[in-house]
Short mmCIF file of all heavy atoms in Angstrom, two decimals:
data_model
loop_
_atom_site.label_atom_id
_atom_site.label_comp_id
_atom_site.label_asym_id
_atom_site.label_seq_id
_atom_site.Cartn_x
_atom_site.Cartn_y
_atom_site.Cartn_z
N MET E 1 -0.33 -175.86 67.37
CA MET E 1 -0.24 -177.27 67.74
C MET E 1 1.12 -177.87 67.41
O MET E 1 1.69 -178.70 68.16
CB MET E 1 -1.37 -178.03 67.03
CG MET E 1 -1.68 -179.36 67.64
SD MET E 1 -2.40 -179.10 69.28
CE MET E 1 -2.82 -180.71 69.63
N LYS E 2 1.67 -177.46 66.29
CA LYS E 2 2.93 -177.99 65.91
C LYS E 2 4.03 -177.51 66.82
O LYS E 2 5.01 -178.22 67.12
CB LYS E 2 3.24 -177.53 64.47
CG LYS E 2 4.45 -178.20 63.81
CD LYS E 2 4.57 -177.83 62.41
CE LYS E 2 5.74 -178.64 61.84
NZ LYS E 2 5.81 -178.50 60.35
N THR E 3 3.86 -176.28 67.39
CA THR E 3 4.86 -175.77 68.32
C THR E 3 4.85 -176.59 69.61
O THR E 3 5.91 -176.87 70.15
CB THR E 3 4.48 -174.31 68.69
OG1 THR E 3 4.37 -173.55 67.47
CG2 THR E 3 5.45 -173.65 69.60
N LEU E 4 3.67 -177.05 70.08
CA LEU E 4 3.63 -177.85 71.31
C LEU E 4 4.36 -179.20 71.06
O LEU E 4 5.00 -179.71 71.97
CB LEU E 4 2.20 -178.10 71.72
CG LEU E 4 1.49 -176.84 72.33
CD1 LEU E 4 0.03 -177.20 72.58
CD2 LEU E 4 2.18 -176.41 73.57
N LYS E 5 4.19 -179.78 69.94
CA LYS E 5 4.86 -181.04 69.60
C LYS E 5 6.38 -180.78 69.58
O LYS E 5 7.14 -181.68 70.07
CB LYS E 5 4.40 -181.54 68.24
CG LYS E 5 3.05 -182.14 68.31
CD LYS E 5 2.66 -182.79 66.93
CE LYS E 5 1.22 -183.28 67.01
NZ LYS E 5 0.81 -183.87 65.69
N ASN E 6 6.81 -179.72 69.03
CA ASN E 6 8.26 -179.41 69.05
C ASN E 6 8.79 -179.26 70.41
O ASN E 6 9.90 -179.66 70.78
CB ASN E 6 8.51 -178.20 68.19
CG ASN E 6 8.38 -178.45 66.69
OD1 ASN E 6 8.43 -179.56 66.25
ND2 ASN E 6 8.14 -177.40 65.95
N MET E 7 8.05 -178.53 71.28
CA MET E 7 8.44 -178.27 72.63
C MET E 7 8.50 -179.60 73.40
O MET E 7 9.43 -179.80 74.23
CB MET E 7 7.47 -177.30 73.36
CG MET E 7 7.64 -175.90 72.85
SD MET E 7 9.29 -175.23 72.91
CE MET E 7 9.34 -174.89 74.69
N GLU E 8 7.55 -180.52 73.15
CA GLU E 8 7.56 -181.88 73.81
C GLU E 8 8.78 -182.60 73.40
O GLU E 8 9.43 -183.23 74.22
CB GLU E 8 6.26 -182.58 73.40
CG GLU E 8 6.18 -183.95 74.12
CD GLU E 8 4.88 -184.66 73.69
OE1 GLU E 8 4.05 -184.09 73.01
OE2 GLU E 8 4.78 -185.82 74.07
N ALA E 9 9.16 -182.57 72.13
CA ALA E 9 10.32 -183.22 71.65
C ALA E 9 11.59 -182.65 72.28
O ALA E 9 12.49 -183.38 72.69
CB ALA E 9 10.38 -183.20 70.13
N ILE E 10 11.70 -181.31 72.34
CA ILE E 10 12.85 -180.69 72.97
C ILE E 10 12.96 -181.07 74.41
O ILE E 10 14.05 -181.39 74.94
CB ILE E 10 12.79 -179.13 72.74
CG1 ILE E 10 12.94 -178.78 71.28
CG2 ILE E 10 13.79 -178.44 73.64
CD1 ILE E 10 12.63 -177.32 71.02
N PHE E 11 11.87 -181.11 75.12
CA PHE E 11 11.84 -181.51 76.54
C PHE E 11 12.31 -182.88 76.70
O PHE E 11 13.12 -183.26 77.59
CB PHE E 11 10.45 -181.32 77.14
CG PHE E 11 10.36 -181.72 78.58
CD1 PHE E 11 10.90 -180.90 79.57
CD2 PHE E 11 9.75 -182.91 78.94
CE1 PHE E 11 10.87 -181.33 80.89
CE2 PHE E 11 9.68 -183.32 80.24
CZ PHE E 11 10.20 -182.48 81.23
N THR E 12 11.80 -183.81 75.87
CA THR E 12 12.20 -185.20 75.95
C THR E 12 13.66 -185.40 75.72
O THR E 12 14.34 -186.14 76.46
CB THR E 12 11.33 -186.03 74.97
OG1 THR E 12 9.95 -185.80 75.15
CG2 THR E 12 11.69 -187.52 75.12
N VAL E 13 14.20 -184.73 74.74
CA VAL E 13 15.66 -184.84 74.44
C VAL E 13 16.47 -184.27 75.58
O VAL E 13 17.47 -184.85 76.02
CB VAL E 13 15.99 -184.08 73.12
CG1 VAL E 13 17.47 -183.99 72.91
CG2 VAL E 13 15.34 -184.87 71.94
N ALA E 14 16.01 -183.11 76.11
CA ALA E 14 16.74 -182.50 77.25
C ALA E 14 16.75 -183.41 78.48
O ALA E 14 17.80 -183.57 79.14
CB ALA E 14 16.16 -181.18 77.65
N VAL E 15 15.65 -184.09 78.77
CA VAL E 15 15.61 -184.99 79.93
C VAL E 15 16.54 -186.18 79.64
O VAL E 15 17.22 -186.70 80.57
CB VAL E 15 14.16 -185.45 80.18
CG1 VAL E 15 14.15 -186.59 81.24
CG2 VAL E 15 13.32 -184.29 80.73
N ALA E 16 16.50 -186.69 78.42
CA ALA E 16 17.40 -187.83 78.13
C ALA E 16 18.87 -187.45 78.24
O ALA E 16 19.67 -188.25 78.81
CB ALA E 16 17.07 -188.31 76.72
N ILE E 17 19.19 -186.32 77.83
CA ILE E 17 20.66 -185.89 77.88
C ILE E 17 20.97 -185.65 79.36
O ILE E 17 22.10 -186.05 79.85
CB ILE E 17 20.85 -184.55 77.11
CG1 ILE E 17 20.76 -184.90 75.61
CG2 ILE E 17 22.19 -183.96 77.46
CD1 ILE E 17 20.78 -183.65 74.68
N ALA E 18 20.08 -185.07 80.19
CA ALA E 18 20.40 -184.86 81.57
C ALA E 18 20.54 -186.16 82.35
O ALA E 18 21.46 -186.30 83.18
CB ALA E 18 19.31 -183.99 82.23
N CYS E 19 19.69 -187.13 82.07
CA CYS E 19 19.78 -188.40 82.72
C CYS E 19 21.08 -189.10 82.33
O CYS E 19 21.78 -189.73 83.21
CB CYS E 19 18.58 -189.28 82.41
SG CYS E 19 17.04 -188.78 83.17
N GLY E 20 21.42 -189.08 81.08
CA GLY E 20 22.65 -189.75 80.64
C GLY E 20 23.87 -189.08 81.29
O GLY E 20 24.82 -189.71 81.69
N ALA E 21 23.89 -187.76 81.30
CA ALA E 21 25.04 -187.04 81.93
C ALA E 21 25.15 -187.27 83.41
O ALA E 21 26.28 -187.50 83.87
CB ALA E 21 24.87 -185.52 81.67
N SER E 22 24.06 -187.36 84.14
CA SER E 22 24.10 -187.71 85.54
C SER E 22 24.59 -189.07 85.80
O SER E 22 25.38 -189.39 86.74
CB SER E 22 22.81 -187.44 86.23
OG SER E 22 21.81 -188.36 85.73
N TYR E 23 24.16 -190.03 84.95
CA TYR E 23 24.64 -191.47 85.10
C TYR E 23 26.18 -191.53 84.82
O TYR E 23 26.84 -192.18 85.62
CB TYR E 23 23.91 -192.31 84.14
CG TYR E 23 24.24 -193.78 84.18
CD1 TYR E 23 23.86 -194.56 85.27
CD2 TYR E 23 25.07 -194.33 83.21
CE1 TYR E 23 24.23 -195.86 85.38
CE2 TYR E 23 25.45 -195.66 83.26
CZ TYR E 23 25.10 -196.43 84.32
OH TYR E 23 25.43 -197.75 84.42
N VAL E 24 26.63 -190.86 83.85
CA VAL E 24 28.06 -190.87 83.50
C VAL E 24 28.85 -190.20 84.64
O VAL E 24 29.92 -190.72 84.98
CB VAL E 24 28.32 -190.17 82.14
CG1 VAL E 24 29.77 -189.98 81.94
CG2 VAL E 24 27.72 -191.01 81.03
N SER E 25 28.37 -189.10 85.14
CA SER E 25 29.09 -188.40 86.20
C SER E 25 29.20 -189.23 87.49
O SER E 25 30.19 -189.12 88.21
CB SER E 25 28.54 -187.03 86.46
OG SER E 25 27.27 -187.13 87.04
N VAL E 26 28.18 -190.04 87.77
CA VAL E 26 28.18 -190.88 88.98
C VAL E 26 29.20 -192.01 88.82
O VAL E 26 29.83 -192.43 89.80
CB VAL E 26 26.79 -191.34 89.28
CG1 VAL E 26 26.82 -192.41 90.35
CG2 VAL E 26 25.90 -190.21 89.72
N MET E 27 29.32 -192.52 87.65
CA MET E 27 30.14 -193.71 87.41
C MET E 27 31.62 -193.36 87.39
O MET E 27 32.47 -194.26 87.63
CB MET E 27 29.77 -194.36 86.07
CG MET E 27 28.31 -194.88 86.01
SD MET E 27 27.95 -196.04 87.35
CE MET E 27 28.93 -197.42 86.87
N GLN E 28 31.97 -192.16 87.16
CA GLN E 28 33.40 -191.71 87.13
C GLN E 28 33.94 -191.52 88.51
O GLN E 28 33.31 -190.86 89.33
CB GLN E 28 33.61 -190.48 86.30
CG GLN E 28 33.26 -190.69 84.79
CD GLN E 28 33.42 -189.35 84.04
OE1 GLN E 28 33.60 -188.32 84.62
NE2 GLN E 28 33.41 -189.47 82.69
N PRO E 29 35.12 -192.07 88.80
CA PRO E 29 35.71 -191.79 90.09
C PRO E 29 36.25 -190.30 90.10
O PRO E 29 36.71 -189.90 89.10
CB PRO E 29 36.92 -192.77 90.15
CG PRO E 29 37.22 -193.12 88.76
CD PRO E 29 35.91 -193.01 88.06
N SER E 30 36.09 -189.68 91.21
CA SER E 30 36.43 -188.31 91.34
C SER E 30 37.69 -188.09 92.18
O SER E 30 37.73 -188.66 93.31
CB SER E 30 35.24 -187.51 91.90
OG SER E 30 35.62 -186.13 92.08
N ALA E 31 38.64 -187.34 91.72
CA ALA E 31 39.76 -187.08 92.46
C ALA E 31 39.44 -186.05 93.63
O ALA E 31 40.08 -186.04 94.66
CB ALA E 31 40.84 -186.41 91.60
N ALA E 32 38.40 -185.23 93.44
CA ALA E 32 37.97 -184.30 94.41
C ALA E 32 37.48 -185.01 95.71
O ALA E 32 37.73 -184.52 96.81
CB ALA E 32 36.92 -183.34 93.87
N LYS E 33 36.81 -186.10 95.51
CA LYS E 33 36.28 -186.88 96.71
C LYS E 33 37.49 -187.34 97.60
O LYS E 33 37.39 -187.40 98.74
CB LYS E 33 35.43 -188.05 96.21
CG LYS E 33 34.11 -187.65 95.65
CD LYS E 33 33.28 -188.76 95.22
CE LYS E 33 32.00 -188.40 94.56
NZ LYS E 33 31.25 -189.50 94.02
N ALA E 34 38.56 -187.79 96.89
CA ALA E 34 39.70 -188.34 97.65
C ALA E 34 40.37 -187.19 98.49
O ALA E 34 40.79 -187.38 99.62
CB ALA E 34 40.72 -188.93 96.71
N THR E 35 40.42 -185.96 97.88
CA THR E 35 41.09 -184.85 98.64
C THR E 35 40.16 -184.39 99.75
O THR E 35 40.60 -183.94 100.74
CB THR E 35 41.33 -183.69 97.68
OG1 THR E 35 40.18 -183.27 97.02
CG2 THR E 35 42.41 -184.11 96.64
N ASP E 36 38.81 -184.47 99.53
CA ASP E 36 37.86 -184.11 100.58
C ASP E 36 38.02 -185.02 101.87
O ASP E 36 37.98 -184.56 102.95
CB ASP E 36 36.42 -184.15 100.09
CG ASP E 36 36.12 -183.07 99.14
OD1 ASP E 36 36.89 -182.04 99.09
OD2 ASP E 36 35.09 -183.14 98.41
N VAL E 37 38.27 -186.33 101.58
CA VAL E 37 38.45 -187.21 102.69
C VAL E 37 39.71 -186.91 103.42
O VAL E 37 39.76 -186.98 104.64
CB VAL E 37 38.43 -188.71 102.15
CG1 VAL E 37 38.79 -189.66 103.22
CG2 VAL E 37 37.07 -189.05 101.62
N ALA E 38 40.76 -186.60 102.68
CA ALA E 38 42.02 -186.24 103.34
C ALA E 38 41.94 -184.97 104.12
O ALA E 38 42.51 -184.90 105.18
CB ALA E 38 43.10 -186.11 102.21
N GLN E 39 41.20 -184.04 103.65
CA GLN E 39 41.06 -182.76 104.35
C GLN E 39 40.14 -182.94 105.58
O GLN E 39 40.32 -182.29 106.57
CB GLN E 39 40.46 -181.69 103.45
CG GLN E 39 41.41 -181.22 102.42
CD GLN E 39 40.82 -180.23 101.47
OE1 GLN E 39 39.59 -180.03 101.50
NE2 GLN E 39 41.66 -179.62 100.58
N ALA E 40 39.20 -183.86 105.54
CA ALA E 40 38.31 -184.10 106.65
C ALA E 40 39.03 -184.66 107.82
O ALA E 40 38.66 -184.44 109.00
CB ALA E 40 37.12 -184.99 106.16
N SER E 41 40.04 -185.43 107.63
CA SER E 41 40.79 -186.02 108.71
C SER E 41 41.72 -185.00 109.35
O SER E 41 42.25 -185.22 110.48
CB SER E 41 41.64 -187.21 108.26
OG SER E 41 42.60 -186.78 107.32
N ALA E 42 41.92 -183.81 108.77
CA ALA E 42 42.86 -182.82 109.26
C ALA E 42 42.04 -181.70 109.90
O ALA E 42 42.39 -180.52 109.86
CB ALA E 42 43.71 -182.21 108.13
N ILE E 43 40.99 -182.04 110.60
CA ILE E 43 40.13 -181.06 111.31
C ILE E 43 40.86 -180.52 112.53
O ILE E 43 41.29 -181.36 113.37
CB ILE E 43 38.76 -181.61 111.66
CG1 ILE E 43 38.04 -182.03 110.39
CG2 ILE E 43 37.95 -180.68 112.49
CD1 ILE E 43 36.70 -182.77 110.67
N PRO E 44 40.94 -179.25 112.69
CA PRO E 44 41.66 -178.72 113.90
C PRO E 44 40.76 -178.99 115.14
O PRO E 44 39.60 -178.90 115.12
CB PRO E 44 41.74 -177.22 113.65
CG PRO E 44 40.82 -176.91 112.58
CD PRO E 44 40.59 -178.25 111.78
N VAL E 45 41.52 -179.28 116.25
CA VAL E 45 40.84 -179.59 117.51
C VAL E 45 41.16 -178.51 118.48
O VAL E 45 42.32 -178.12 118.62
CB VAL E 45 41.28 -181.00 118.06
CG1 VAL E 45 40.62 -181.22 119.35
CG2 VAL E 45 40.96 -182.04 117.05
N VAL E 46 40.15 -177.97 119.15
CA VAL E 46 40.35 -176.90 120.14
C VAL E 46 40.16 -177.53 121.49
O VAL E 46 39.17 -178.16 121.81
CB VAL E 46 39.36 -175.77 119.92
CG1 VAL E 46 39.53 -174.72 120.97
CG2 VAL E 46 39.54 -175.18 118.59
N VAL E 47 41.13 -177.30 122.44
CA VAL E 47 41.06 -177.80 123.78
C VAL E 47 40.96 -176.62 124.72
O VAL E 47 41.84 -175.80 124.69
CB VAL E 47 42.33 -178.65 124.12
CG1 VAL E 47 42.17 -179.17 125.59
CG2 VAL E 47 42.41 -179.82 123.16
N VAL E 48 39.92 -176.54 125.51
CA VAL E 48 39.71 -175.48 126.46
C VAL E 48 40.08 -176.01 127.84
O VAL E 48 39.52 -176.94 128.34
CB VAL E 48 38.23 -174.99 126.44
CG1 VAL E 48 38.10 -173.85 127.46
CG2 VAL E 48 37.90 -174.47 125.06
N SER E 49 41.01 -175.35 128.49
CA SER E 49 41.56 -175.85 129.80
C SER E 49 41.12 -174.93 130.88
O SER E 49 41.76 -174.97 131.97
CB SER E 49 43.02 -176.05 129.77
OG SER E 49 43.66 -174.85 129.46
N ALA E 50 40.18 -174.07 130.69
CA ALA E 50 39.71 -173.15 131.72
C ALA E 50 38.73 -173.85 132.63
O ALA E 50 38.05 -174.77 132.33
CB ALA E 50 39.10 -171.93 131.11
N ARG E 51 38.66 -173.26 133.86
CA ARG E 51 37.68 -173.84 134.83
C ARG E 51 36.31 -173.24 134.61
O ARG E 51 36.17 -172.11 134.03
CB ARG E 51 38.18 -173.61 136.30
CG ARG E 51 38.19 -172.15 136.67
CD ARG E 51 38.54 -172.05 138.12
NE ARG E 51 38.55 -170.63 138.52
CZ ARG E 51 37.45 -169.99 138.93
NH1 ARG E 51 36.29 -170.62 138.96
NH2 ARG E 51 37.47 -168.72 139.28
N ARG E 52 35.27 -173.89 135.06
CA ARG E 52 33.90 -173.39 134.87
C ARG E 52 33.61 -172.33 135.95
O ARG E 52 34.12 -172.43 137.07
CB ARG E 52 32.92 -174.50 135.04
CG ARG E 52 32.97 -175.46 133.85
CD ARG E 52 31.88 -176.49 134.05
NE ARG E 52 31.52 -176.96 132.72
CZ ARG E 52 30.33 -176.72 132.17
NH1 ARG E 52 29.43 -176.02 132.82
NH2 ARG E 52 30.06 -177.08 130.96
N LEU E 53 32.75 -171.38 135.59
CA LEU E 53 32.37 -170.37 136.52
C LEU E 53 31.28 -170.88 137.51
O LEU E 53 30.47 -171.71 137.07
CB LEU E 53 31.81 -169.12 135.83
CG LEU E 53 32.73 -168.33 134.91
CD1 LEU E 53 32.00 -167.20 134.25
CD2 LEU E 53 33.88 -167.73 135.78
N THR E 54 31.34 -170.47 138.66
CA THR E 54 30.22 -170.81 139.62
C THR E 54 28.99 -169.99 139.31
O THR E 54 29.07 -169.05 138.52
CB THR E 54 30.69 -170.61 141.10
OG1 THR E 54 30.86 -169.20 141.26
CG2 THR E 54 31.92 -171.38 141.43
N GLU E 55 27.99 -170.30 139.92
CA GLU E 55 26.68 -169.64 139.68
C GLU E 55 26.81 -168.15 140.09
O GLU E 55 26.34 -167.25 139.34
CB GLU E 55 25.58 -170.27 140.49
CG GLU E 55 24.17 -169.94 140.01
CD GLU E 55 23.87 -170.37 138.61
OE1 GLU E 55 24.36 -171.46 138.24
OE2 GLU E 55 23.11 -169.65 137.92
N GLN E 56 27.43 -167.82 141.19
CA GLN E 56 27.61 -166.45 141.59
C GLN E 56 28.54 -165.69 140.60
O GLN E 56 28.29 -164.53 140.26
CB GLN E 56 28.23 -166.37 143.02
CG GLN E 56 27.27 -166.82 144.09
CD GLN E 56 27.93 -166.78 145.43
OE1 GLN E 56 29.15 -167.00 145.55
NE2 GLN E 56 27.12 -166.58 146.44
N GLU E 57 29.62 -166.33 140.17
CA GLU E 57 30.51 -165.72 139.24
C GLU E 57 29.83 -165.39 137.88
O GLU E 57 30.07 -164.35 137.29
CB GLU E 57 31.72 -166.56 138.99
CG GLU E 57 32.65 -166.64 140.18
CD GLU E 57 33.73 -167.65 140.02
OE1 GLU E 57 33.56 -168.63 139.22
OE2 GLU E 57 34.83 -167.52 140.67
N LYS E 58 28.91 -166.27 137.44
CA LYS E 58 28.15 -166.06 136.26
C LYS E 58 27.27 -164.84 136.41
O LYS E 58 27.17 -164.00 135.47
CB LYS E 58 27.30 -167.20 135.95
CG LYS E 58 28.01 -168.44 135.42
CD LYS E 58 27.08 -169.54 135.10
CE LYS E 58 27.80 -170.89 134.87
NZ LYS E 58 26.80 -171.95 134.63
N LYS E 59 26.56 -164.72 137.52
CA LYS E 59 25.72 -163.60 137.73
C LYS E 59 26.44 -162.32 137.77
O LYS E 59 26.06 -161.26 137.19
CB LYS E 59 24.91 -163.77 139.06
CG LYS E 59 23.86 -164.86 138.95
CD LYS E 59 23.09 -165.04 140.23
CE LYS E 59 22.08 -166.18 140.18
NZ LYS E 59 21.45 -166.37 141.48
N ILE E 60 27.56 -162.29 138.46
CA ILE E 60 28.41 -161.09 138.53
C ILE E 60 28.91 -160.73 137.17
O ILE E 60 28.89 -159.53 136.77
CB ILE E 60 29.61 -161.32 139.55
CG1 ILE E 60 29.08 -161.41 140.92
CG2 ILE E 60 30.62 -160.18 139.44
CD1 ILE E 60 30.11 -161.88 141.95
N SER E 61 29.34 -161.62 136.36
CA SER E 61 29.84 -161.41 134.99
C SER E 61 28.75 -160.80 134.15
O SER E 61 28.92 -159.85 133.41
CB SER E 61 30.39 -162.71 134.44
OG SER E 61 30.72 -162.53 133.07
N LEU E 62 27.57 -161.33 134.28
CA LEU E 62 26.43 -160.81 133.45
C LEU E 62 26.08 -159.43 133.84
O LEU E 62 25.83 -158.52 132.98
CB LEU E 62 25.19 -161.74 133.61
CG LEU E 62 25.23 -163.08 132.85
CD1 LEU E 62 24.07 -163.95 133.18
CD2 LEU E 62 25.31 -162.82 131.37
N ILE E 63 26.06 -159.14 135.09
CA ILE E 63 25.74 -157.79 135.60
C ILE E 63 26.82 -156.81 135.14
O ILE E 63 26.46 -155.69 134.62
CB ILE E 63 25.70 -157.79 137.18
CG1 ILE E 63 24.43 -158.56 137.63
CG2 ILE E 63 25.68 -156.37 137.72
CD1 ILE E 63 24.36 -158.84 139.14
N GLU E 64 28.10 -157.15 135.21
CA GLU E 64 29.16 -156.28 134.76
C GLU E 64 29.03 -156.07 133.23
O GLU E 64 29.24 -154.93 132.75
CB GLU E 64 30.50 -156.89 135.10
CG GLU E 64 30.82 -156.87 136.51
CD GLU E 64 32.15 -157.56 136.91
OE1 GLU E 64 32.64 -158.32 135.98
OE2 GLU E 64 32.60 -157.46 138.02
N GLU E 65 28.65 -157.10 132.52
CA GLU E 65 28.54 -156.95 131.05
C GLU E 65 27.43 -156.03 130.70
O GLU E 65 27.53 -155.17 129.82
CB GLU E 65 28.30 -158.32 130.42
CG GLU E 65 28.23 -158.34 128.92
CD GLU E 65 28.04 -159.72 128.33
OE1 GLU E 65 28.22 -160.72 129.09
OE2 GLU E 65 27.68 -159.81 127.14
N ARG E 66 26.29 -156.12 131.39
CA ARG E 66 25.14 -155.31 131.12
C ARG E 66 25.44 -153.84 131.47
O ARG E 66 25.10 -152.93 130.74
CB ARG E 66 23.93 -155.75 131.95
CG ARG E 66 23.33 -157.05 131.37
CD ARG E 66 22.08 -157.44 132.17
NE ARG E 66 21.66 -158.79 131.70
CZ ARG E 66 21.08 -159.64 132.45
NH1 ARG E 66 20.87 -159.43 133.76
NH2 ARG E 66 20.69 -160.81 131.93
N GLN E 67 26.17 -153.63 132.52
CA GLN E 67 26.52 -152.30 132.95
C GLN E 67 27.49 -151.65 131.91
O GLN E 67 27.37 -150.48 131.54
CB GLN E 67 27.19 -152.30 134.33
CG GLN E 67 26.21 -152.53 135.48
CD GLN E 67 26.95 -152.62 136.80
OE1 GLN E 67 28.14 -152.75 136.86
NE2 GLN E 67 26.15 -152.60 137.86
N ALA E 68 28.36 -152.50 131.38
CA ALA E 68 29.27 -151.99 130.34
C ALA E 68 28.54 -151.63 129.09
O ALA E 68 28.82 -150.64 128.49
CB ALA E 68 30.36 -153.02 130.07
N LEU E 69 27.54 -152.49 128.75
CA LEU E 69 26.75 -152.19 127.52
C LEU E 69 25.89 -150.93 127.68
O LEU E 69 25.83 -150.10 126.78
CB LEU E 69 25.85 -153.35 127.13
CG LEU E 69 26.62 -154.55 126.58
CD1 LEU E 69 25.57 -155.68 126.44
CD2 LEU E 69 27.17 -154.21 125.24
N LEU E 70 25.34 -150.78 128.91
CA LEU E 70 24.52 -149.54 129.16
C LEU E 70 25.40 -148.37 129.23
O LEU E 70 25.00 -147.25 128.70
CB LEU E 70 23.75 -149.72 130.49
CG LEU E 70 22.64 -150.70 130.39
CD1 LEU E 70 22.01 -150.90 131.80
CD2 LEU E 70 21.55 -150.27 129.45
N GLY E 71 26.60 -148.44 129.78
CA GLY E 71 27.51 -147.37 129.83
C GLY E 71 27.97 -146.88 128.42
O GLY E 71 28.09 -145.70 128.13
N ASN E 72 28.17 -147.89 127.55
CA ASN E 72 28.59 -147.50 126.17
C ASN E 72 27.46 -146.92 125.36
O ASN E 72 27.66 -146.05 124.59
CB ASN E 72 29.13 -148.81 125.43
CG ASN E 72 30.45 -149.24 126.00
OD1 ASN E 72 31.14 -148.46 126.64
ND2 ASN E 72 30.80 -150.50 125.74
N ALA E 73 26.19 -147.41 125.62
CA ALA E 73 25.02 -146.88 124.96
C ALA E 73 24.80 -145.41 125.29
O ALA E 73 24.51 -144.62 124.44
CB ALA E 73 23.82 -147.77 125.19
N THR E 74 24.93 -145.06 126.52
CA THR E 74 24.67 -143.69 126.98
C THR E 74 25.78 -142.80 126.54
O THR E 74 25.57 -141.62 126.19
CB THR E 74 24.48 -143.59 128.53
OG1 THR E 74 25.64 -144.13 129.12
CG2 THR E 74 23.25 -144.36 128.94
N ALA E 75 27.02 -143.30 126.43
CA ALA E 75 28.12 -142.45 126.03
C ALA E 75 28.03 -142.18 124.50
O ALA E 75 28.40 -141.09 124.06
CB ALA E 75 29.42 -143.13 126.31
N SER E 76 27.45 -143.12 123.74
CA SER E 76 27.41 -142.90 122.30
C SER E 76 26.24 -141.98 121.94
O SER E 76 26.26 -141.40 120.83
CB SER E 76 27.23 -144.24 121.57
OG SER E 76 26.01 -144.84 121.93
N THR E 77 25.25 -141.85 122.82
CA THR E 77 24.11 -140.93 122.50
C THR E 77 24.44 -139.49 122.75
O THR E 77 23.76 -138.60 122.30
CB THR E 77 22.92 -141.34 123.30
OG1 THR E 77 23.18 -141.27 124.71
CG2 THR E 77 22.38 -142.66 122.93
N LEU E 78 25.52 -139.20 123.52
CA LEU E 78 25.91 -137.82 123.82
C LEU E 78 26.47 -137.09 122.65
O LEU E 78 27.05 -137.17 121.78
CB LEU E 78 26.87 -137.72 124.98
CG LEU E 78 26.32 -138.23 126.31
CD1 LEU E 78 27.39 -138.21 127.40
CD2 LEU E 78 25.17 -137.27 126.71
#
């Protein structure tokens, strides 16, 4: 029974320390947050200037891709 009381006291102290530490860490300004904001504005932008494939071109491309995959699969089994 005395062990349970000690564990309860240890738990209570640990929770109090954790709450205090989280409160203190939230109140302090962080230099890391300022650098994160600066890095977020430097996001690289990708511009694609290619034209879209027509429906027929898409089908032809898929057929060619499947044939290439099947050709590679049979060649690797030999």
Side-chain angles (χ1 to χ4, degrees):
M1 197 67 174
K2 191 171 185 174
T3 305
L4 289 177
K5 287 183 182 180
N6 288 338
M7 291 302 286
E8 183 180 352
I10 292 171
F11 178 75
T12 305
V13 170
V15 168
I17 291 171
C19 289
S22 66
Y23 180 74
V24 169
S25 68
V26 169
M27 297 304 290
Q28 292 178 350
S30 176
K33 290 180 184 176
T35 58
D36 289 344
V37 172
Q39 290 176 351
S41 63
I43 296 174
V45 177
V46 177
V47 178
V48 178
S49 60
R51 65 176 183 84
R52 292 183 150 251
L53 295 176
T54 64
E55 197 64 34
Q56 288 178 331
E57 290 172 335
K58 287 180 191 177
K59 288 179 184 177
I60 292 170
S61 175
L62 286 172
I63 291 170
E64 289 174 350
E65 183 178 346
R66 287 181 187 149
Q67 287 175 347
L69 287 174
L70 289 174
N72 289 340
T74 55
S76 64
T77 57
L78 294 176

